[in-house]
Amino acid sequence: MLQKPRGTRDFLPEEMERRRLIETRMRTAARRWGYREVCTPIFEHLELFTMKSGEGIINEMYAFEDKGGRELTLRPEITAAVMRMYVNEGKVLPKPLRWCYFADCFRYERPQKGRYRQFWQFGVELIGADTASADAEVILLADAVLRTAGVAFDLHVGHLAPMKHLLHGLPAEEQREIMAYLDKHDLAGLEERLGEKGLGDLFTSLVGLMDCRTPGEVFAITGDLPERERIEETFAILDAQGIAYTADFGIARGLDYYTGMVFEVFAPNLGAENQILGGGAYRLAHLFGGDDVASCGFAIGFDRVMVSLGELLLEGEPIAGVVCTPEARARALEVARAFREAGIRTEVDLMERGLGAQLSHAAKTADYAVVLGKREIESGRVTLKNLHSGEQQEMTLADAIAEVTRFGTC
RNA sequence: GCCAGGGUGGGGUAGUUGGUUAUCCUAAGGGACUGUGGAUCCCUCGACCCGGGUUCGAAUCUCGGCCCUGGCCCCA
């Protein structure tokens, strides 16, 4: 038997409906904030991603050469593609741009819980607004999107400026090394490493920074910084809106294009891969030949959200199964058409089974049965049977449609 | 790339001196029954992840691979 490729999944209709439900909630939330959906190619030039993240990531991409000898790759993320798109065709649009996307990405990595080789991201990019309000909007939107999805989460918000200030003056290589320790929360390793270098004071400052829970505490350690006003304003907006978050100035991003505000979200009920969202302010467009526009965005690991949500109760619209005797088949199709035009999910028998067997099947797959036979043809009416209660009644077609649509349409 | 545990009908289980696999539930298809059958009864279909080795004989022993689950690494 053929297996599906490693790290990929099949989704049966029930699972698909769950995913679509959550996806739609996320899209709707973003749309209400003015974020409009964009779509980029599923494969891009390899260079797009190596320019953004370095050559090292080629090993983790589905990279290939096409028949024309082009170096391509399945997209491992969306932000770079959106920024390329911005440079190609978004530069002249009125700022700020509010874009969102829901798309599958591909990474050649070892699968584990919440990590697949084909996975879906929902994200937004706010392009061209370089203010505390912009930083705050993206965080508030992330909070709204996750809340509408119904997932339990912890939001951590930080800013890179205080840490960069403490590391200022060290060689870039050393800064990266220290940030790697912080990113892993390996304080013991960091203390040892900095102790060797005679930087014990720096270690004390960094640990103090990680413990800060308000901007005020941060600036007591770092002193005044140019970014102080922006940081304080961003946090003030979050506080005024009353969202639940933890200030976390220990969030470290080694990549150069992150410029300021950063935030991460964790789901407490996942395993080793428990980060469900990452976001922040960045500057990328200049890498792809555009202006040095300020941007801010986030990406949600959609599959991890679905894992975190666990079993979801789906409440779909009712389904009608039309069952009929042989002489009523034509009438059955007429009735089915009327039901469908009214927005009711309607299925007719294709197996040419007896009435009883049709009803038996309908009981497993539908909520209502519309029974049609000689009697109904003569009366011009239909028999509507509620397959949950077993109650049934002969009525006009219009009344039957009205009865079923009370419980929803599609 | 590394470590650990796994892989037996669609789903769940059992299966060692190596000897035709088995069982339960359920699903599916067919039949009886032909206006309630959402029932009952009968029948059918259906699996040892793949490949090499040892052996008269491998689900079982052995080697390799694939895949799954969790962890490490990485995480744009």
Side-chain angles (χ1 to χ4, degrees), chain A residues 347-363:
Chain A
E347 299 172 2
V348 299
D349 171 66
L350 301 175
M351 309 288 276
E352 303 183 1
R353 287 190 274 225
L355 186 64
Q358 290 182 47
L359 207 47
S360 170
H361 175 74

Side-chain angles (χ1 to χ4, degrees), chain A residues 112-159:
Chain A
Q112 59 194 66
K113 185 173 188 179
R115 175 191 277 186
Y116 306 97
R117 289 185 168 183
Q118 182 192 19
F119 61 98
W120 276 260
Q121 285 194 337
F122 178 87
V124 311
E125 310 295 347
L126 172 59
I127 303 167
D130 191 9
T131 61
S133 300
D135 292 345
E137 171 164 304
V138 172
I139 297 169
L140 291 169
L141 175 55
D143 178 75
V145 167
L146 291 173
R147 274 192 291 110
T148 189
V151 70
F153 64 93
D154 296 321
L155 169 62
H156 289 226
V157 182
H159 198 283

Side-chain angles (χ1 to χ4, degrees), chain A residues 322-333:
Chain A
V322 178
V323 308
C324 62
T325 58
E327 65 262 46
R329 288 201 184 277
R331 175 65 178 152
L333 286 176

Side-chain angles (χ1 to χ4, degrees), chain A residues 57-77:
Chain A
I57 60 167
I58 294 178
N59 287 335
E60 277 128 39
M61 283 196 276
Y62 278 91
F64 60 97
E65 189 176 299
D66 77 359
K67 292 174 198 286
R70 303 173 185 86
E71 292 290 336
L72 300 175
T73 183
L74 297 181
R75 58 188 175 199
E77 52 124 1

